[in-house]
Amino acid sequence: MAEADGARRKVTIREVMRMKAEGRKVVVVTAYDVLFARLVDSAGVDIVLVGDSVGNVVAGFDTTLPVTIDHMIYHGAAVRRGVQRALLVVDMPFLSYQASEESAILNCGRVMQETGADAVKVEGGSTEMARTVAALTRIGIPVMAHLGFTPQSIRTMGMRVQGRDAADADRMVEQAQALEAAGAFSLVVELVPAALAARITDAVSIPTIGIGAGPGCDGQVLVLPDLLGLNEGFAPKFLKRYAELAGTVRDAVGDYAKEVRAGEYPRADHSS
Ligand code: KIV
């Protein structure tokens, strides 16, 4: 982490790219509101991602497909108010960048303007997507790309490990190289075999950020409620929980309810 530098220097795109060259792992976590944004930023992560996973973990949708640009702007702006040091990336939702280069430029530009994000993230590795990434980076919008399982394509891909067969794996390596050539500054690699993630990492000079992709990537990303143990039903093999906050929250609220019902809270010394 840039924290190792000792300073509270703001993380830049250049710094994130230098981390790969210097063999320093890039730490990425999602956030969706100002309270957690402040906490993860002060914990010293390198990148805060306002993921469209907000649709799953905050709004309770089954997929990310219903998430809109307005949702991303609302959450992106809230997170911006809590992040001072980390690089802030806002995810572009389904349909906001796939239809044409022009709509991608207008929508990504709007998200940058209205959230104060440092960069946007888009999913996919088609030739058209590489062209879109080139169009965005040409006008000064930094892009984090995303390959492997791309949740906005869940209806066609299903939620499963990608790149298991040799042809798919070769195609993914080529797509990663095309996205780098188009100007992407980093690449999320989601749900692919560890050996393929390591191969992609070797094939590009931009940092790869893995999730469910093994230890061979240049960095890792986790969805914050998952790593904090707040998302009780969700336990994929790749996930490590660093806390069990669901139980802590339930116990605290249960204690509060018990004390209110028993007339034990508030006491006289809680009153003004
Ligand atoms: O939406 C999201 O949170 C993401 C990460 C899992 C990479 O895309």
Side-chain angles (χ1 to χ4, degrees):
M1 276 188 280
E3 190 73 349
D5 295 344
R8 296 284 302 162
R9 216 173 49 204
K10 189 161 167 32
V11 180
T12 60
I13 303 252
R14 207 182 275 263
E15 169 72 3
V16 169
M17 294 178 75
R18 197 165 40 228
M19 290 173 79
K20 173 164 181 146
E22 295 175 358
R24 289 182 284 140
K25 293 281 189 187
V26 183
V27 179
V28 187
V29 72
T30 68
Y32 314 99
D33 63 35
V34 69
L35 289 177
F36 280 110
R38 281 190 201 121
L39 290 170
V40 301
D41 193 45
S42 62
V45 301
D46 302 305
I47 300 179
V48 176
L49 170 66
V50 185
D52 63 351
S53 51
V54 67
N56 305 107
V57 296
V58 175
F61 298 133
D62 286 343
T63 72
T64 57
L65 300 182
V67 176
T68 65
I69 299 189
D70 287 344
H71 294 147
M72 294 313 299
I73 288 175
Y74 180 82
H75 289 279
V79 171
R80 173 75 285 170
R81 292 189 280 272
V83 171
Q84 292 179 350
R85 178 183 155 278
L87 192 83
L88 176 62
V89 181
V90 174
D91 228 351
M92 294 304 298
F94 181 58
L95 276 191
S96 67
Y97 58 94
Q98 295 95 335
S100 66
E101 278 176 31
E102 188 186 349
S103 67
I105 288 172
L106 293 174
N107 288 327
C108 294
R110 180 176 165 219
V111 164
M112 296 284 288
Q113 280 185 325
E114 295 186 28
T115 65
D118 299 307
V120 296
K121 178 167 83 57
V122 298
E123 295 183 5
S126 63
T127 309
E128 294 76 30
M129 194 53 61
R131 280 204 208 103
T132 297
V133 170
L136 292 169
T137 53
R138 229 178 357 253
I139 62 158
I141 297 179
V143 179
M144 173 182 271
H146 186 155
L147 284 180
F149 171 63
T150 46
Q152 291 171 22
S153 305
I154 191 164
R155 296 292 186 228
T156 47
M157 297 187 157
M159 188 178 171
R160 60 186 178 81
V161 174
Q162 301 293 311
R164 281 209 197 274
D165 80 57
D168 283 351
D170 290 348
R171 190 169 49 244
M172 217 182 290
V173 173
E174 282 165 19
Q175 290 179 342
Q177 290 171 324
L179 289 164
E180 174 178 16
F185 77 90
S186 62
L187 175 64
V188 169
V189 180
E190 179 163 0
L191 275 191
V192 306
L196 174 57
R199 194 178 144 203
I200 293 171
T201 299
D202 285 345
V204 295
S205 56
I206 55 174
T208 56
I209 311 295
I211 174 163
C217 291
D218 299 304
Q220 295 292 324
V221 57
L222 280 178
V223 168
L224 186 63
D226 299 344
L227 92 82
L228 294 179
L230 278 166
N231 192 5
E232 283 182 304
F234 189 66
K237 187 171 165 219
F238 70 78
L239 177 63
K240 177 171 177 187
R241 290 188 172 156
Y242 287 83
E244 293 293 346
L245 292 194
T248 306
V249 170
R250 196 179 295 105
D251 288 350
V253 176
D255 288 349
Y256 162 68
K258 223 182 308 167
E259 291 196 2
V260 169
R261 288 179 186 128
E264 292 167 1
Y265 175 82
R267 290 188 315 249
D269 57 344
H270 290 120
S271 311
S272 43

